[in-house]
Amino acid sequence: MGAASAEPSTVAELGESATLARILPRLTPGDAALLGVGDDAAVVRAPDGRFVVTTDMMVHGPDFRLAWSTPFELGWKAAATNLTDVAAMGARPTALVVAIAAPPTTPVSLLEGIADGLREGLARLAPGAGVVGGDLSASSVLTIAVTAFGDLDGRAPILRSGARVGDVVAHAGVRGDAARGLRLLFAEGTDASGEPDRELAAALRARHPELIAAQLAPSPPVSAGVAAALAGATAMLDVSDGLARDARRLAEASGVGLDFDAATLGADVRLALAGAEDHGLLATFPPHAALPAEFDAIGRVVEGTGELFVDAAPVAAEGWDPYAGWDGRAG
C-alpha cells in the first residue's frame, strides 16, 4: 500500500468552504447578534435605533510583517484597531464583520490563528461583542479588513468638533510605547540585509515583552470611551496616527488650539507626540469635570484653529502616514 496522502494544509488545497468550516467554529457572534454567520447577511440588535460603524484595513507590508507578528497577534490587533474607533464615538462595540484576502499558499493554520486572536481580543477588550460575518478571497498580499459596529445606548455620539476653549485635554492609554516597540523591531528584529527576521523578533519579545506587545498586539482602553461619554466629554477621537497628528484633527474640527503639558508626556516628548499605533483615546472635558479613572489630564484647550502647543510653544503635527516612505515592498 502507498503512503497516505497528507492532510490539506493551505487555503488552495482545502478550498473556501472547507477553510471556512475550520475558521468559523473558532469565532463567537456576540450578545447583539440575532442571526450570525450562515446566511447572506447577519442581523444585529440596535436597541438605540442608531448604530456606529467604522472600518479599517491591515495589509502585509505597510501595516504588519509576518516575520514579526504571530497570526494570533494579527487577529487581536485587527480587533483592537477597530474597537477603539467605535469607543471614540462614546459607543459600546457590539459586532465585527471580517474580510480576509490571502495568497493561495497561505496555511489554513494561519487563518485559524487570526480567528483565535479576533475571538480573544474581543473577549478581553469588548466583552459581549462578536464576529457576525465576513468574506474570504484570494490575493497576492495577505489583507485583513474589519468593519465594526457599536451601540450608543441612547447617548449622543461624541464628535471631534465639540472641544471648547478652557476644556481639559485628557488621554487614556499608553503614549509612545507602540513606536518604541516598532523602533526596536527595525533596529534589532531585522537581518543583515534589513529584512524582518522571525527569530530575532522572538528574542525581542522575550527581552521587551510590553513594548513589542504594544506594537504587535495593543490593549487599548476600549471601555474608556463609554466612561468618557458618561463623564461629559465634549470631543474625542482614537489616537492611531500619533498624538500630535490626531490632536490637530480634533483641534481643526473644533476650531480651537490644544496646549499640552510637557511634564505629562514623559521623558521623550517628541516620541509621545509623534509615535503612532498606541490606539489610545484623546478627549476634552469641561474644566471642572471629574475625569474617568482611565484618563490623564495632559493639557488645555486654547484659542486657535488647529494649532498645537507644548507649554505654549508651537509644535508640528508629526505622525504616521501609510504613504510616507513606503516603497511597495512587503518585507
Side-chain angles (χ1 to χ4, degrees):
M1 295 178 62
S5 59
E7 181 181 353
S9 60
T10 69
V11 175
E13 291 171 340
L14 203 58
E16 180 186 22
S17 296
T19 297
L20 288 172
R22 285 184 39 181
I23 296 171
L24 295 178
R26 311 178 91 90
L27 300 168
T28 55
D31 297 340
L34 295 171
L35 180 67
V37 177
D39 275 82
D40 290 314
V43 180
V44 179
R45 290 186 185 91
D48 179 84
R50 304 165 295 172
F51 61 87
V52 170
V53 61
T54 185
T55 190
D56 196 49
M57 183 183 300
M58 291 170 47
V59 180
H60 184 247
D63 297 314
F64 66 88
R65 309 294 177 92
L66 282 169
W68 287 343
S69 296
T70 67
F72 184 93
E73 288 169 337
L74 292 178
W76 180 290
K77 188 169 184 176
T81 56
N82 282 272
L83 294 172
T84 48
D85 281 328
V86 171
M89 302 299 291
R92 173 178 52 84
T94 55
L96 304 182
V97 292
V98 182
I100 298 178
T105 55
T106 301
V108 175
S109 60
L110 187 149
L111 301 185
E112 291 177 319
I114 291 174
D116 290 342
L118 284 163
R119 183 190 65 248
E120 295 305 311
L122 286 167
R124 175 74 66 84
L125 302 174
V131 177
V132 297
D135 192 25
L136 181 64
S137 187
S139 171
S140 60
V141 178
L142 179 61
T143 301
I144 307 168
V146 176
T147 299
F149 299 86
D151 196 318
L152 289 163
D153 294 323
R155 297 179 297 273
I158 309 301
L159 310 180
R160 300 179 180 186
S161 55
R164 301 183 293 262
V165 173
D167 282 354
V168 174
V169 179
H171 180 268
V174 298
R175 292 184 283 278
D177 282 5
R180 291 182 180 92
L182 187 62
R183 179 185 289 178
L184 281 170
L185 286 165
F186 274 112
E188 303 178 38
T190 57
D191 61 21
S193 65
E195 293 298 313
D197 184 277
R198 192 178 307 277
E199 291 185 5
L200 293 174
L204 276 176
R205 264 195 195 82
R207 296 199 303 273
H208 305 282
E210 292 184 0
L211 292 181
I212 300 304
Q215 168 57 221
L216 302 182
S219 294
V222 176
S223 64
V226 169
L230 295 174
T234 54
M236 185 158 56
L237 87 172
D238 161 51
V239 180
S240 54
D241 294 336
L243 181 58
R245 176 163 290 196
D246 287 319
R248 174 157 290 177
R249 290 170 175 148
L250 187 151
E252 289 176 341
S254 296
V256 298
L258 301 184
D259 189 3
F260 296 112
D261 179 357
T264 67
L265 299 178
D268 192 335
V269 172
R270 184 178 180 277
L271 189 62
L273 289 172
E277 296 192 282
D278 284 321
H279 296 287
L281 295 174
L282 181 69
T284 59
F285 294 87
H288 302 295
L291 298 183
E294 301 94 331
F295 282 86
D296 300 316
I298 61 171
R300 288 276 174 181
V301 179
V302 297
E303 298 281 354
T305 303
E307 296 171 283
L308 299 182
F309 307 89
V310 172
D311 293 344
V315 293
E318 297 179 278
W320 162 252
D321 181 336
Y323 291 101
W326 172 240
D327 60 8
R329 295 186 303 161

